[in-house]
Amino acid sequence: MMAIDEVDVALVVLTYNRRQQVLHTLGTLLENCHDVPIWVVDNGSRDGTARAIAEHYPGIRVVALPRNLGAAARNYGAQAACARYIAFCDDDTWWAPGALARGVAILEAQPGLAVLTARILVGPEEHLDPTSAVMADSPIPNTMHFVGSEVAGIMAGASIMRRDAFLAAGGYEPRFFIGGEERLLALDLMAAGWHLGYAPELVVHHFPSRLRDVTGRRRLLVRNALWCAWLRRSARDAWWETRHILHGVLHDAMLLSGLAAALPGLPWLLANRRPVPLSVEERLRLLEGRTA
């Protein structure tokens, strides 16, 4: 297997107001991912994060943004880190030893793959993340024949991808802010002809931070799911997905606010609507348990 310093790969870490947690994560990444350049995108933190990183880890580059841009802040990290492959993680996730080298080797061998999502182990007990279990059971045929599954999604904080494919797809849409933001990027990559993979031999550890707005995140998850369906699904499939989402939303007053937040975006959505090709819809229908 080729050495990690023979392939052009960089790490991009996203953080916001979690100074102590990101310092711990960076220490672990430096230990696990030798000689891999690390870029931290500080998403407008107000707790001295950028200064603390400069003091503790002067070799790590920091992109300090003036305000919180949500997931789209990762775009700035990908633009700054001039590497062929970008591995993303958050301030509460880190890659296991050897995972990046293996991920790069798979991508080198499979030129049709744009992204590999790692197997996520949660907490000190290393429980399997539920999304990892879903990806492992993906019904999409593995036409790339790598060890793992072809999928139709990405886990933003546990993925390694081709930088040129990421930038050509536009990265993360700023209007989505955060919460299911990966969905639109995944659809745009597949529409461009790329395949997405889940590779269980790649491991990312996740120690979820307690500093998170759970209520706000659930509202944005609903809004962004609706926006994504309206932007990229065919009329028939967008209607099917909308009904599926609303089935749960209409029985939860808090999630209903996600629907309310989605509706004002309709003029922008209609102006930027670009349905994916039928080949992509067929993969999505497989995931949804539909054949037509």
Side-chain angles (χ1 to χ4, degrees):
M1 184 170 64
M2 67 177 62
I4 196 70
D5 57 1
E6 293 176 356
V7 297
D8 197 7
V9 61
L11 271 161
V12 171
V13 183
L14 183 64
T15 189
Y16 174 64
N17 280 344
R18 295 177 184 170
R19 181 180 58 192
Q20 291 307 121
Q21 190 150 24
V22 74
L23 291 176
H24 176 265
T25 293
L26 292 175
T28 305
L29 287 171
L30 287 170
E31 194 174 306
N32 292 355
C33 308
H34 302 293
D35 302 322
V36 176
I38 299 175
W39 294 80
V40 177
V41 183
D42 179 27
N43 222 346
S45 296
R46 301 181 301 276
D47 63 352
T49 290
R51 183 174 62 252
I53 294 171
E55 292 173 355
H56 286 81
Y57 303 112
I60 290 178
R61 302 169 180 87
V62 178
V63 178
L65 301 180
R67 60 188 178 88
N68 186 358
L69 301 180
R74 296 189 182 99
N75 301 348
Y76 290 84
Q79 290 164 357
C82 295
R84 283 188 297 138
Y85 301 104
I86 303 292
F88 292 96
C89 58
D90 295 331
D91 49 24
D92 57 359
T93 64
W94 56 82
W95 291 81
L100 291 184
R102 183 58 189 147
V104 167
I106 296 172
L107 290 169
E108 288 278 292
Q110 301 291 344
L113 273 174
V115 184
L116 284 173
T117 293
R119 177 165 52 102
I120 302 173
L121 301 180
V122 182
E125 301 85 6
E126 299 191 348
H127 296 305
L128 183 66
D129 186 284
T131 301
S132 294
V134 171
M135 286 186 164
D137 291 334
S138 171
I140 298 173
N142 185 348
T143 58
M144 299 284 101
H145 306 296
F146 63 95
V147 178
S149 313
E150 277 202 41
V151 294
I154 301 167
M155 290 292 282
S159 60
I160 179 170
M161 63 183 73
R162 299 179 192 275
R163 177 175 179 266
D164 58 352
F166 176 84
L167 295 178
Y172 290 102
E173 167 55 53
R175 290 175 183 262
F176 276 48
F177 194 65
I178 201 161
E181 69 276 4
E182 306 99 330
R183 173 78 162 173
L184 184 63
L185 175 60
L187 293 181
D188 286 345
L189 286 168
M190 290 191 293
W194 291 104
H195 294 257
L196 315 179
Y198 166 74
E201 60 188 298
L202 312 184
V203 173
V204 164
H205 293 275
H206 183 200
F207 280 65
S209 173
R210 296 178 181 177
L211 301 175
R212 61 178 62 224
D213 180 4
V214 176
T215 300
R217 178 71 65 89
R218 290 184 69 198
R219 179 177 65 86
L220 291 179
L221 280 168
V222 171
R223 184 199 68 178
N224 291 346
L226 290 168
W227 276 5
C228 193
W230 299 343
L231 279 168
R232 295 292 182 262
R233 304 297 300 268
S234 69
R236 184 181 64 170
D237 291 287
W239 173 236
W240 183 91
E241 189 169 353
T242 297
R243 286 187 300 162
H244 180 73
I245 294 169
L246 294 184
H247 179 73
V249 167
L250 295 178
H251 300 286
D252 188 322
M254 184 185 70
L255 296 184
L256 195 58
S257 66
L259 172 61
L263 295 176
L266 280 174
W268 170 74
L269 295 168
L270 293 174
N272 291 275
R273 179 169 162 74
R274 195 170 66 246
V276 297
L278 178 59
S279 60
V280 176
E281 282 289 9
E282 288 173 344
R283 277 179 268 176
L284 298 176
R285 291 169 190 167
L286 279 175
L287 291 172
E288 295 162 350
R290 301 186 297 141
T291 56

